[in-house]
Amino acid sequence: MYLLKKIKILTMSLLLTVAVVPSASASPSHNSSSQVLEEAEQVASNYFNSYISKDIEGRIKNSVEPNYENDTERRSAYALQAETDTPVVDFKILNSTEVSNSEVHLSVQFTTVDTILPPLPYEVKKINQDWKVVLIPQEVNADQNSPDYGKVKPINVENTEYIDNSGLMAARATTLDYYSFSNWGGNTLIGKDTFNTTNNWVSIMGYQSDSNWNGGPTSGFYVKYEIITQIGGSVQWYGQKTVNGYYFQENQYYAIINLSANKISNAKVRISSNGNQVSGAGNVYEN
């Protein structure tokens, strides 16, 4: 088994903060509504362009991210994102709403190398007289066949770990990815390694068990395997399969995960469970 290395998720959520204080006379100390929106949108655009071009310093300059204690930690996280995130080729600000003269809310749609994603909400705030994108982890359902398509929900950063994929099998001709977990206490696991798909399905095969199992019925125990991508820490979801019960190395599970896209670049495995001390491993295939 391979140890899990816990790292914080990086995010690409934004907080645009803008507000206009009404006044009977035009005061040079208050920006007009149009100026507030323009300034906030410009900073947001600067941030997104920096993300697309993998300009780490540009991202840091135009944003704040409460999940990281300092810029050194952010630089390390952003460098990892530049290597493993699904490439974004364009973005479009669909809507902007002025909340105050220091806060603006945006709706932003990203185009990746594979598809156009559902819009994500973002915010930008004026902090110490400078507009900053406030980055908050969030997830959007990108499965067009799902009744929850486009639904956005927050991500619990403190309850997320990355799987150490250092044991990934070298036989890439038949294996897309490898995952393992040992005495895992139920956190959400995300694969650090990435893979590309060329079909609208992948298969998974492996074993799973809970060390607290007493030999009784296994129907209540499950592990959920999902296929996702990440953009700046935000998650896009494409399909999942829940495997119920215990499967040991001599009697492994095999399941198909139907995907909502025929092609996914830099895909990752995300795993969750209702077990207490879960162990297991498996592979992702495309044949």
Side-chain angles (χ1 to χ4, degrees):
M1 299 299 172
Y2 297 93
L3 297 178
L4 303 178
K5 182 180 179 183
K6 186 169 183 179
I7 68 174
K8 295 181 179 178
I9 287 188
L10 337 166
T11 81
M12 194 161 89
S13 283
L14 320 168
L15 250 134
L16 273 183
T17 320
V18 204
V20 173
V21 180
S23 175
S25 60
S27 171
S29 63
H30 296 302
N31 293 338
S32 67
S33 177
S34 59
Q35 183 179 354
V36 166
L37 293 175
E38 181 179 351
E39 291 177 355
E41 289 181 8
Q42 183 61 59
V43 168
S45 296
N46 291 343
Y47 174 80
F48 289 129
N49 283 321
S50 295
Y51 174 80
I52 292 173
S53 65
K54 300 182 180 181
D55 175 8
I56 293 176
E57 295 306 314
R59 291 182 66 186
I60 290 176
K61 176 183 178 182
N62 291 288
S63 69
V64 295
E65 189 155 4
N67 290 320
Y68 297 97
E69 295 182 358
N70 52 58
D71 286 348
T72 299
E73 192 173 302
R74 291 175 70 194
R75 286 186 178 92
S76 176
Y78 291 173
L80 177 62
Q81 285 187 351
E83 295 178 359
T84 64
D85 279 10
T86 296
V88 173
V89 296
D90 198 9
F91 71 93
K92 183 178 182 181
I93 297 177
L94 301 178
N95 185 54
S96 58
T97 303
E98 180 181 339
V99 178
S100 70
N101 63 355
S102 60
E103 182 173 353
V104 169
H105 292 182
L106 303 179
S107 175
V108 182
Q109 188 169 55
F110 298 101
T111 300
T112 73
V113 291
D114 304 317
T115 189
I116 298 176
L117 294 171
L120 281 169
Y122 291 95
E123 299 176 342
V124 177
K125 286 184 175 179
K126 202 168 192 179
I127 301 174
N128 296 328
Q129 303 305 311
D130 292 322
W131 288 103
K132 299 286 184 179
V133 172
V134 180
L135 301 174
I136 302 171
Q138 56 185 345
E139 173 182 334
V140 60
N141 186 325
D143 182 357
Q144 297 184 17
N145 298 316
S146 169
D148 293 326
Y149 174 73
K151 184 177 180 179
V152 178
K153 63 181 181 180
I155 297 174
N156 185 346
V157 176
E158 295 300 325
N159 197 40
T160 302
E161 300 181 25
Y162 279 96
I163 305 168
D164 182 357
N165 295 102
S166 58
L168 178 65
M169 293 181 178
R172 282 292 194 176
T174 58
T175 304
L176 291 179
D177 200 14
Y178 169 84
Y179 50 86
S180 68
F181 38 90
S182 177
N183 294 323
W184 155 48
N187 289 345
T188 299
L189 307 177
I190 295 179
K192 187 183 297 183
D193 190 73
T194 63
F195 55 93
N196 300 328
T197 69
T198 57
N199 297 319
N200 62 354
W201 63 274
V202 296
S203 61
I204 55 173
M205 185 170 69
Y207 62 92
Q208 63 185 39
S209 65
D210 188 328
S211 62
N212 292 330
W213 181 49
N214 59 7
T218 66
S219 59
F221 166 69
Y222 69 82
V223 180
K224 182 167 65 174
Y225 302 89
E226 300 172 285
I227 304 301
I228 66 166
T229 58
Q230 286 185 288
I231 295 176
S234 293
V235 170
Q236 301 77 46
W237 181 89
Y238 292 89
Q240 66 90 20
K241 176 65 68 173
T242 298
V243 179
N244 294 290
Y246 294 81
Y247 291 85
F248 300 100
Q249 295 191 42
E250 64 274 14
N251 182 30
Q252 299 186 8
Y253 60 78
Y254 175 83
I256 299 293
I257 300 178
N258 294 313
L259 305 174
S260 62
N262 292 325
K263 176 183 176 184
I264 305 175
S265 299
N266 288 17
K268 298 180 181 181
V269 173
R270 184 170 67 175
I271 303 174
S272 58
S273 172
N274 68 339
N276 296 313
Q277 294 295 320
V278 184
S279 297
N283 292 311
V284 181
Y285 300 92
E286 199 176 46
N287 59 4

